[in-house]
């Protein structure tokens, strides 16, 4: 007999909310909105997200466990130092798994799925022309999500999701050149998928992800994000 634990659903909702806050803070850091040396104010984050301070504190403790933030005694949380190499490593890992999923998708994608990718790409281009940041983020997410699902490789997709959580998805549209690059790079991915060319799909997707990583590095450099001498 299964016994329901009192407060179980409440704890589950709190954990989900904490995970969402952690994702938000990761994106703040990875997009250069806040850097090492700046404190992450619990009250400010809670106010920005319209929530209480408790899940924010839980999220920051979780990020501390990941080595993504540090806790300064009697002062608070701040982002851990982040170097160019850290960012490049994250995107290189993302490129590897995303490329492998694209290659597997090329060998099994259906006409209906290709039509859906075309529709997401059209939505991305329309959002780009309209300057619709939310529409850009949604269309781009759905485009990549469908490719990953079509691969039929859930373990590899899980590994990719683990790495992708460090990419500043909701802030990408603010990175100079990123949306234009996505629009253009996706055409090469689509062409490879239509041709059923696994090697070309792998290469096109990896080049696309590496391109995004390069643009993020340039964006962070322009903001003076890196510490002196950091590589």
């Amino acid at each position: 007999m299964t016994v329901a634990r009192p407060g179980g659903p409440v704890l589950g909702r709190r954990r989900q909310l904490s995970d969402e806050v952690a994702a938000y803070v990761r994106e703040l850091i990875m997009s250069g909105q806040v850097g090492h040396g700046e404190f992450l104010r619990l009250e400010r984050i809670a106010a920005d997200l319209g929530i209480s301070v408790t899940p924010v504190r839980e999220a920051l403790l979780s990020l501390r466990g990941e080595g993504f933030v540090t806790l300064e005694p009697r002062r608070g949380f701040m982002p851990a130092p982040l170097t160019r190499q850290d960012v490049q490593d994250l995107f290189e890992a993302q490129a590897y798994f995303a490329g492998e999923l694209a290659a597997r998708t090329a060998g099994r994608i259906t006409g209906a799925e290709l039509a859906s990718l075309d529709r997401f790409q059209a939505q991305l281009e329309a959002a780009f022309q309209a300057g619709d940041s939310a529409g850009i983020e949604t269309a781009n997410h759905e485009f990549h999500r469908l490719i990953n699902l079509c691969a039929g490789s859930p373990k590899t997709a899980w590994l990719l999701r683990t790495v992708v959580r460090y990419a500043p998805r909701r802030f990408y549209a603010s990175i100079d050149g990123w949306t234009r690059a996505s629009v253009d790079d996706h055409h090469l991915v689509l062409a490879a998928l239509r041709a059923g060319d696994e090697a070309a799909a792998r290469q096109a997707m990896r080049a696309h992800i590496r391109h995004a990583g390069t643009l993020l590095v340039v964006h962070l450099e322009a903001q003076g994000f890196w510490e002196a001498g950091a590589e």
Side-chain angles (χ1 to χ4, degrees):
M1 181 177 67
T2 301
V3 178
R5 292 182 298 170
V10 173
L11 290 175
R13 287 195 296 272
R14 275 183 53 187
R15 187 172 297 110
Q16 181 181 5
L17 184 56
S18 176
D19 290 344
E20 291 170 359
V21 176
Y24 175 76
V25 174
R26 285 191 202 98
E27 291 178 342
L28 283 176
I29 295 170
M30 290 299 297
S31 63
Q33 305 291 312
V34 61
H36 182 64
E38 300 177 66
F39 284 96
L40 294 158
R41 303 299 180 190
L42 277 68
E43 295 79 5
R44 172 65 184 275
I45 295 171
D48 288 346
L49 297 176
I51 58 176
S52 70
V53 169
T54 298
V56 177
R57 183 179 293 107
E58 292 173 350
L60 292 174
L61 287 170
S62 175
L63 291 173
R64 183 192 183 197
E66 295 177 15
F68 215 63
V69 304
T70 61
L71 177 59
E72 302 294 319
R74 296 181 297 278
R75 300 187 68 190
F77 294 91
M78 71 166 58
L82 187 68
T83 68
R84 292 180 185 86
Q85 191 63 61
D86 291 331
V87 176
Q88 290 164 353
D89 288 347
L90 287 168
F91 276 85
E92 190 61 31
Q94 183 180 340
Y96 176 82
F97 293 120
E100 192 58 37
L101 290 167
R104 296 179 188 185
T105 291
R108 56 185 290 154
I109 194 166
T110 67
E113 289 163 343
L114 278 169
S116 293
L117 286 178
D118 285 334
R119 184 173 68 256
F120 292 138
Q121 179 67 9
Q123 291 171 358
L124 173 63
E125 295 183 16
F128 171 57
Q129 294 298 328
D132 176 7
S133 297
I136 290 168
E137 189 275 327
T138 298
N140 183 69
H141 174 70
E142 292 299 330
F143 181 91
H144 284 276
R145 178 176 178 273
L146 181 54
I147 291 174
N148 298 337
L149 287 173
C150 289
S153 303
K155 296 297 187 295
T156 303
W158 177 83
L159 289 167
L160 176 60
R161 287 195 300 274
T162 301
V163 178
V164 165
R165 65 182 181 172
Y166 294 101
R169 196 180 95 185
R170 87 182 75 195
F171 296 108
Y172 263 143
S174 67
I175 297 172
D176 189 37
W178 178 84
T179 308
R180 178 78 267 173
S182 279
V183 169
D184 294 342
D185 292 352
H186 284 186
H187 288 298
L188 297 176
V189 174
L190 281 167
L193 294 176
R194 286 194 192 94
D197 188 330
E198 296 181 16
R202 181 184 292 110
Q203 181 178 355
M205 183 60 80
R206 287 183 178 169
H208 172 43
I209 301 300
R210 287 169 179 149
H211 191 182
T214 297
L215 289 171
L216 179 57
V217 167
V218 170
H219 171 76
L220 293 173
E221 286 175 343
Q223 290 189 315
F225 183 82
W226 312 113
E227 295 181 329
E231 295 297 334

